Amino acid sequence: MRLSARQRQILGLLGHGSYVEVKDLAQSLGVDGSTIRRDLQGLTANGLVDRLHGGAILRSSAETTPSLGQPNEGEHQAIAQAARRMLKDGDSLCISSGPITSLLILSMLDMHDMTVVTNDLRSAMTLSQNPSFKVHLAGGELRESPSHVTSGARAETFAAEHITRWSFIEVEGIHPYSGFTISATWQAGIQRALLAAGRRRCIIADSHSFGKRCIGFVADTSNADLIMTDELLDDYDLPAFGGKVIRVALDPGDSWRQR
């Protein structure tokens, strides 16, 4: 399905993760309710939103994100929205995979002329619905479901050849001595390559990832310019990361702040 400009605007309005009524969407976009309902019908069929009585809510991929209402949902939405606000039309970025990344991707669909390099097949397919986007999928070994991500030497070489303005890489573990880590060791190499391909390198992870060490080493903390997390991270954990940590207010409408 190819999304219309108005459908991408609807996804942008739903991007905070809260329920929005059809009448409010119609008022924001200057159309009648029947037009919005037709647009939502297409978005629902494409697995991007869930219809609720009188409105809709953004759907997170069941395979990559927690269900709405799970403990991490608010943190993930806030981090994804803060990352989205750091981008502007015409930017280029490398992204990997993960629940926060999936939310970031959906929030980007109302942007224009973006260039995205990824190793995640589902992310590439979602992003390609915006006709103004240039989406580059790193070739390599494609793992079986539910991962749908490429890895290996070819994927890493591809990433190294596509330098972008930003890289947003999601990890599961952040430790001042063990660095950035993930549990899937076979993804560590491509995560490292995608991170290095960004001129501005941002690690994204919720506060529960701090202090954790996973088996797959991605990079030392010195390899990131920013570490974006939620406001639940304790002050005690900040000094070890040299002022790189951005803590995002859990209300996605609030401005992120650096400590």
Side-chain angles (χ1 to χ4, degrees), residues 13-126:
L13 292 170
L14 297 175
H16 293 316
S18 57
Y19 167 79
V20 182
E21 293 187 357
V22 168
K23 63 179 182 180
D24 293 328
L25 291 169
Q27 182 177 3
S28 296
L29 298 178
V31 296
D32 59 37
S34 60
T35 299
I36 294 296
R37 282 188 283 271
R38 285 194 296 272
D39 287 333
L40 289 174
Q41 183 177 4
L43 292 171
T44 302
N46 204 40
L48 296 176
V49 304
D50 287 318
R51 290 295 309 275
L52 302 175
H53 180 68
I57 192 168
L58 195 66
R59 178 185 298 177
S60 300
S61 170
E63 293 181 4
T64 60
T65 62
S67 298
L68 290 169
Q70 290 296 314
N72 288 17
E73 183 66 18
E75 292 97 308
H76 290 179
Q77 285 282 2
I79 297 167
Q81 288 299 319
R84 162 65 176 80
R85 291 195 293 272
M86 299 177 82
L87 299 171
K88 64 179 187 299
D89 290 341
D91 264 345
S92 59
L93 66 154
C94 288
I95 53 173
S96 56
S97 60
I100 301 172
T101 305
S102 295
L103 294 169
L104 170 60
I105 288 166
L106 289 173
S107 73
M108 289 170 51
L109 288 176
D110 63 339
M111 301 185 74
H112 300 282
D113 301 319
M114 304 295 287
T115 298
V116 184
V117 179
T118 184
N119 69 318
D120 189 299
L121 178 60
R122 288 170 303 192
S123 296
M125 292 177 66
T126 299

Side-chain angles (χ1 to χ4, degrees), residues 37-225:
R37 282 188 283 271
R38 285 194 296 272
D39 287 333
L40 289 174
Q41 183 177 4
L43 292 171
T44 302
N46 204 40
L48 296 176
V49 304
D50 287 318
R51 290 295 309 275
L52 302 175
H53 180 68
I57 192 168
L58 195 66
R59 178 185 298 177
S60 300
S61 170
E63 293 181 4
T64 60
T65 62
S67 298
L68 290 169
Q70 290 296 314
N72 288 17
E73 183 66 18
E75 292 97 308
H76 290 179
Q77 285 282 2
I79 297 167
Q81 288 299 319
R84 162 65 176 80
R85 291 195 293 272
M86 299 177 82
L87 299 171
K88 64 179 187 299
D89 290 341
D91 264 345
S92 59
L93 66 154
C94 288
I95 53 173
S96 56
S97 60
I100 301 172
T101 305
S102 295
L103 294 169
L104 170 60
I105 288 166
L106 289 173
S107 73
M108 289 170 51
L109 288 176
D110 63 339
M111 301 185 74
H112 300 282
D113 301 319
M114 304 295 287
T115 298
V116 184
V117 179
T118 184
N119 69 318
D120 189 299
L121 178 60
R122 288 170 303 192
S123 296
M125 292 177 66
T126 299
L127 290 164
S128 67
Q129 294 173 90
N130 185 321
S132 74
F133 284 12
K134 295 182 178 68
V135 183
H136 302 278
L137 179 65
E141 180 184 0
L142 182 63
R143 293 285 179 130
E144 295 181 359
S145 178
S147 61
H148 297 293
V149 298
T150 60
S151 62
R154 289 186 179 180
E156 294 167 27
T157 299
F158 183 92
E161 293 172 348
H162 290 75
I163 303 301
T164 57
R165 182 169 182 261
W166 284 97
S167 56
F168 288 93
I169 305 301
E170 186 168 350
V171 299
E172 300 166 69
I174 299 176
H175 191 278
Y177 305 125
S178 301
F180 306 121
T181 55
I182 56 176
S183 57
T185 56
W186 55 273
Q187 290 190 48
I190 182 60
Q191 295 270 71
R192 188 181 309 117
L194 288 167
L195 177 66
R199 295 190 181 95
R200 189 73 167 158
R201 302 168 184 176
C202 183
I203 292 291
I204 53 177
D206 62 46
S207 56
H208 305 290
S209 301
F210 283 76
K212 289 180 60 176
R213 309 184 196 196
C214 301
I215 193 170
F217 174 75
V218 175
D220 292 321
T221 59
S222 60
N223 288 51
D225 298 301

